[in-house]
Amino acid sequence: MTTTYTGTVSSGFDGRGDFFQAGTDLTGMTFKVVFLTDDATVGVESTSDAVSSFISGGFQTPANPLSPVKATVTIGGASFQLDGGFQGTSLEVASTCAPDCSNGEIGSVASEFKKEGLGFFGTRNVAMELFSNNPKVFSGDYHKSLFHVVQPGEVNFPDSSHGRLTDNFFDETAGEYIYNTFADFDIATVRVGSVPEPGTWALLIFGLAAVGTAMRRRKLAIASG
């Protein structure tokens, strides 16, 4: 299944040239982050109860060597992918702690380990998290289809509807991080849905081809008429 977050970059800087020319200011650009979660991944940790569900894995934990989550990050129309190999998580919570509080949560994480040359290593990481003061917003099951627009006053505190992308490398010799790219995200919408089966994709492609053929025939008919 996929979990898609959209919104605006509240602050950001493309230090590595991941999206555009290195040094580009990303602030104010639109973003879309799509997480792909595969429940069939072997060896991952997963839990589910009446109000929440959770799946996580990655080679940072020997018991969970594979990640169930990958991500595609798009900012201002430019994209790159994270394989989630270092860590991947999907979760959804619909809980209450009345009378003191009431909240729900949906979250996704994907990160990958990178090594560039001797003594250079780092990670790319994207993490999205949306808290709502209305637990009915979320089902508590990250498999369930969902489309939600964040409403004014819905979040419990200013950082309740946010995410962050980081792409950092560490120079062991100099002892410092370099080529820093980051973006802070303000989430406007979140959508959860299943990935179409291969047969569904085939029908979609066939339908698009049929529409294209019909349009070409119509143009030819108009031209000959």
Side-chain angles (χ1 to χ4, degrees), residues 25-48:
D25 185 0
L26 303 175
T27 305
M29 294 187 183
T30 59
F31 79 85
K32 179 169 72 172
V33 182
V34 181
F35 293 87
L36 177 64
T37 303
D38 183 0
D39 277 13
T41 306
V42 178
V44 298
E45 177 186 357
S46 63
T47 61
S48 181

Side-chain angles (χ1 to χ4, degrees), residues 38-112:
D38 183 0
D39 277 13
T41 306
V42 178
V44 298
E45 177 186 357
S46 63
T47 61
S48 181
D49 55 35
V51 296
S52 64
S53 61
F54 170 95
I55 188 168
S56 183
F59 75 77
Q60 83 281 11
T61 306
N64 306 324
L66 300 176
S67 169
V69 184
K70 305 178 186 297
T72 300
V73 182
T74 303
I75 297 179
S79 304
F80 73 75
Q81 294 184 321
L82 288 84
D83 61 19
F86 185 70
Q87 181 186 8
T89 301
S90 289
L91 64 90
E92 189 168 337
V93 180
S95 62
T96 59
C97 43
D100 299 322
C101 63
S102 177
N103 60 72
E105 176 187 2
I106 186 167
S108 310
V109 176
S111 59
E112 62 187 14

Side-chain angles (χ1 to χ4, degrees), residues 196-213 216:
E197 296 293 331
T200 303
W201 281 117
L203 287 173
L204 288 172
I205 294 170
F206 178 78
L208 289 173
V211 170
T213 300
R216 285 192 296 271

Side-chain angles (χ1 to χ4, degrees), residues 4-217:
T4 302
Y5 302 83
T6 67
T8 306
V9 178
S10 57
S11 62
F13 179 75
D14 192 353
R16 280 184 52 83
D18 287 313
F19 301 97
F20 307 102
Q21 182 177 352
T24 299
D25 185 0
L26 303 175
T27 305
M29 294 187 183
T30 59
F31 79 85
K32 179 169 72 172
V33 182
V34 181
F35 293 87
L36 177 64
T37 303
D38 183 0
D39 277 13
T41 306
V42 178
V44 298
E45 177 186 357
S46 63
T47 61
S48 181
D49 55 35
V51 296
S52 64
S53 61
F54 170 95
I55 188 168
S56 183
F59 75 77
Q60 83 281 11
T61 306
N64 306 324
L66 300 176
S67 169
V69 184
K70 305 178 186 297
T72 300
V73 182
T74 303
I75 297 179
S79 304
F80 73 75
Q81 294 184 321
L82 288 84
D83 61 19
F86 185 70
Q87 181 186 8
T89 301
S90 289
L91 64 90
E92 189 168 337
V93 180
S95 62
T96 59
C97 43
D100 299 322
C101 63
S102 177
N103 60 72
E105 176 187 2
I106 186 167
S108 310
V109 176
S111 59
E112 62 187 14
F113 179 82
K114 291 289 185 179
K115 187 172 180 65
E116 289 188 359
L118 184 63
F120 290 84
F121 66 91
T123 58
R124 278 178 169 175
N125 179 81
V126 60
M128 310 297 291
E129 197 167 39
L130 171 60
F131 286 94
S132 170
N133 55 28
N134 178 7
K136 294 180 180 179
V137 167
F138 307 129
S139 67
D141 183 353
Y142 66 82
H143 306 85
K144 297 288 184 65
S145 296
L146 166 75
F147 177 68
H148 178 65
V149 179
V150 179
Q151 303 296 321
E154 176 185 324
V155 297
N156 297 313
F157 47 91
D159 290 336
S160 293
S161 173
H162 73 286
R164 167 161 269 222
L165 165 74
T166 57
D167 186 356
N168 294 320
F169 277 72
F170 188 74
D171 182 346
E172 291 182 305
T173 302
E176 62 182 12
Y177 283 98
I178 58 175
Y179 307 128
N180 182 48
T181 291
F182 75 93
D184 288 322
F185 301 129
D186 285 336
I187 300 171
T189 70
V190 58
R191 181 188 298 273
V192 180
S194 60
V195 177
E197 296 293 331
T200 303
W201 281 117
L203 287 173
L204 288 172
I205 294 170
F206 178 78
L208 289 173
V211 170
T213 300
M215 291 181 67
R216 285 192 296 271
R217 288 177 177 173

